[in-house]
Amino acid sequence: MTRVHIADNMCTPYKLQLKRFHDFFAANGWTVVETPEEADLVLVGTCAGFDRLEEESLASLRTMHGHGKRVVAYGCMTRFDPERVAAVHDGPCIPTNEGWRVAELIPNPAVPLADIPAPSTFRRKADYRLFDLTKRYVSITNGCGFECSYCPHRVGVGKLQSRPLDEIVEQVQALVAEGARTVVLTGLETGGYGTDRGDTYPELLARVLEADPSMEVHVAQFSPTYVMEYGDALLELFSNPRVSDIQIPIETTSDRLLDLMGRTPRVTEIEPFLLRLRASAPRTILRTDLMPGFPTETDEEVEHGAHFAARLFDEVAVYGFEMKTGVPLDDMHLPRHPKEVIAARVERVVEIVSAAGRLAHRGAQAGTDDLFALEARKEEMRRSTATPA
């Protein structure tokens, strides 16, 4: 009997993928063990999202090789920074967008990976901000449809791939039958759902909301691009009181910087949408991301973005800019801010957002925030307003 250990510091959509691998191994008679010392094979999930996560991924690979086990590297780092991976790992590498290759680890599996259902839970209790099995996670996309100049994710995960609409709805219906009260529609970028298949996010959300009249829906990683594209049709759906958490990462309000980033400009044009949404759905938690410290950014641009976010959103994740070698931005040769300037700007944004009574944190980049307490506070905010009909 083969024993396998899975090491993981990946983001939400790919934690779900690792759970699917876990279920694949178990379905084929392998034993998934808690420690590498017990294992015959170790699968290491790697992340290139932030410097801290890259270093953790490399350290994990070094550690696992130190146990003298067979090690397989999986995830974004294998594709985004293969040279750094090769410096500590001489075994097989499986990029995130080639996850099907994990099936090759088991010769002639009795249960194919394709037959393993899409999971809605993580492998470990520690993977949750707030452990609650009535809240389930549904990946609706893999990859990303954007090509932001600074972002390692697009390189790591490949192009957008949307799951079939009916398949997602069937999964949601099954989760409701199991007792799920909240479903999180997740992916690295979800607003572009269906653009590769001829479907749209509003079509999907409408179908999901029809699945059960009491189930709540959380919207993750929805680009401002699609807020502007779908407009009133999206507003009607987002105004449903059962859509109780919406994440719209803006990064900055500067058109100049957005152009350099390769993102859609005129982010501030979503303000009327957000004000109308706030009026129609006061219980909904609105979340965003800001990225102070982008090359050539001015103090005025920092201040404008922070005040905009503090006025319109309930929670702001503040991620200081990190330069990644090999991304398109690297070839622009723009003047860069020293790390201490970026750190000071992060603190300034947190100060502005916190002073407005909003939640501000540095999330996975810092790795020191009490995210359990943050999630609990958001639930208190929801309970303090209207209960959904």
Side-chain angles (χ1 to χ4, degrees):
M1 179 183 296
T2 302
R3 296 163 298 178
V4 58
H5 173 70
I6 301 174
D8 163 31
N9 71 332
M10 303 186 80
C11 60
T12 296
Y14 296 101
K15 286 185 183 297
L16 293 173
Q17 186 72 289
L18 287 177
K19 176 61 164 62
R20 192 174 186 216
F21 298 156
H22 173 286
D23 294 344
F24 168 72
F25 294 138
N28 284 282
W30 285 24
T31 301
V32 182
V33 295
E34 293 295 319
T35 66
E37 291 87 353
E38 304 170 80
D40 304 302
L41 179 146
V42 178
L43 179 68
V44 178
T46 66
C47 180
F50 297 114
D51 291 347
R52 183 185 69 83
L53 297 178
E54 280 194 40
E55 295 305 324
E56 286 183 0
S57 297
L58 295 171
S60 182
L61 285 169
R62 291 190 197 96
T63 299
M64 299 310 164
H65 277 287
H67 291 291
K69 308 295 183 176
R70 182 186 176 203
V71 178
V72 177
Y74 166 75
C76 290
M77 275 204 75
T78 67
R79 185 174 176 186
F80 178 73
D81 204 341
E83 292 183 0
R84 293 191 75 195
V85 171
V88 299
H89 170 67
D90 60 359
C93 292
I94 300 176
T96 309
N97 64 328
E98 297 180 16
W100 51 267
R101 288 175 47 197
V102 169
E104 298 172 354
L105 298 175
I106 301 180
N108 302 313
V111 181
L113 180 60
D115 289 353
I116 301 298
S120 63
T121 59
F122 304 131
R123 295 182 308 111
R124 307 171 302 172
K125 190 174 180 179
D127 291 331
Y128 293 84
R129 281 189 178 189
L130 184 62
F131 184 67
D132 177 5
L133 290 181
T134 68
K135 180 179 181 179
R136 299 297 189 89
Y137 297 81
V138 175
S139 262
I140 64 172
T141 61
N142 288 308
C144 182
F146 290 101
E147 296 186 5
C148 299
S149 65
Y150 60 90
C151 184
H153 292 118
R154 178 64 169 81
V155 179
V157 302
K159 65 181 181 179
L160 177 73
Q161 294 178 303
S162 303
R163 288 178 62 197
L165 193 153
D166 287 345
E167 180 181 298
I168 295 170
V169 173
E170 288 173 7
Q171 183 183 8
V172 171
Q173 290 170 334
L175 294 177
V176 171
E178 292 175 13
R181 296 198 299 266
T182 302
V183 169
V184 183
L185 302 180
T186 189
L188 282 183
E189 197 291 308
T190 63
Y193 170 80
T195 55
D196 58 325
R197 298 182 58 88
D199 300 315
T200 69
Y201 192 97
E203 290 172 338
L204 171 64
L205 183 54
R207 291 277 305 278
V208 167
L209 287 168
E210 291 170 358
D212 184 87
S214 63
M215 176 193 67
E216 294 195 12
V217 177
H218 290 187
V219 174
Q221 297 287 1
F222 195 97
S223 170
T225 298
Y226 292 103
V227 172
M228 290 184 271
E229 178 170 333
Y230 293 132
D232 287 346
L234 183 68
L235 179 64
E236 181 178 355
L237 290 162
F238 277 6
S239 296
N240 187 310
R242 293 191 289 116
V243 180
S244 57
D245 193 296
I246 302 171
Q247 180 186 17
I248 304 174
I250 63 172
E251 311 302 351
T252 180
T253 54
S254 166
D255 286 350
R256 184 184 69 83
L257 293 180
L258 288 165
D259 183 59
L260 292 173
M261 291 179 182
R263 294 174 67 88
T264 302
R266 305 186 308 280
V267 155
T268 53
E269 291 184 8
I270 69 172
E271 180 173 353
F273 179 100
L274 294 175
L275 291 173
R276 291 168 64 193
L277 177 59
R278 176 70 72 202
S280 60
R283 181 175 174 272
T284 299
I285 301 296
L286 299 179
R287 301 186 289 130
T288 195
D289 298 353
L290 286 175
M291 186 175 59
F294 193 84
T296 75
E297 178 191 53
T298 66
D299 289 333
E300 291 75 17
E301 287 167 330
V302 174
E303 295 281 321
H304 188 274
H307 285 288
F308 179 88
R311 185 161 45 83
L312 296 168
F313 292 93
D314 302 293
E315 176 190 341
V316 183
V318 187
Y319 301 113
F321 174 78
E322 294 177 351
M323 187 67 215
K324 299 292 185 179
T325 302
V327 296
L329 182 66
D330 197 23
D331 295 328
M332 296 183 190
H333 305 295
L334 298 172
R336 302 175 190 173
H337 297 292
K339 288 185 177 181
E340 57 270 23
V341 170
I342 296 175
R345 289 184 173 181
V346 167
E347 293 306 315
R348 175 58 180 157
V349 173
V350 170
E351 176 187 4
I352 291 170
V353 172
S354 300
R358 310 300 195 183
L359 304 179
H361 62 88
R362 296 187 61 202
Q365 187 178 47
T368 57
D369 296 287
D370 187 350
L371 296 179
F372 182 97
L374 174 70
E375 206 68 14
R377 184 176 169 191
K378 283 160 59 177
E379 290 305 316
E380 290 176 5
M381 292 168 64
R382 268 189 274 270
R383 287 194 297 269
S384 69
T385 54
T387 301

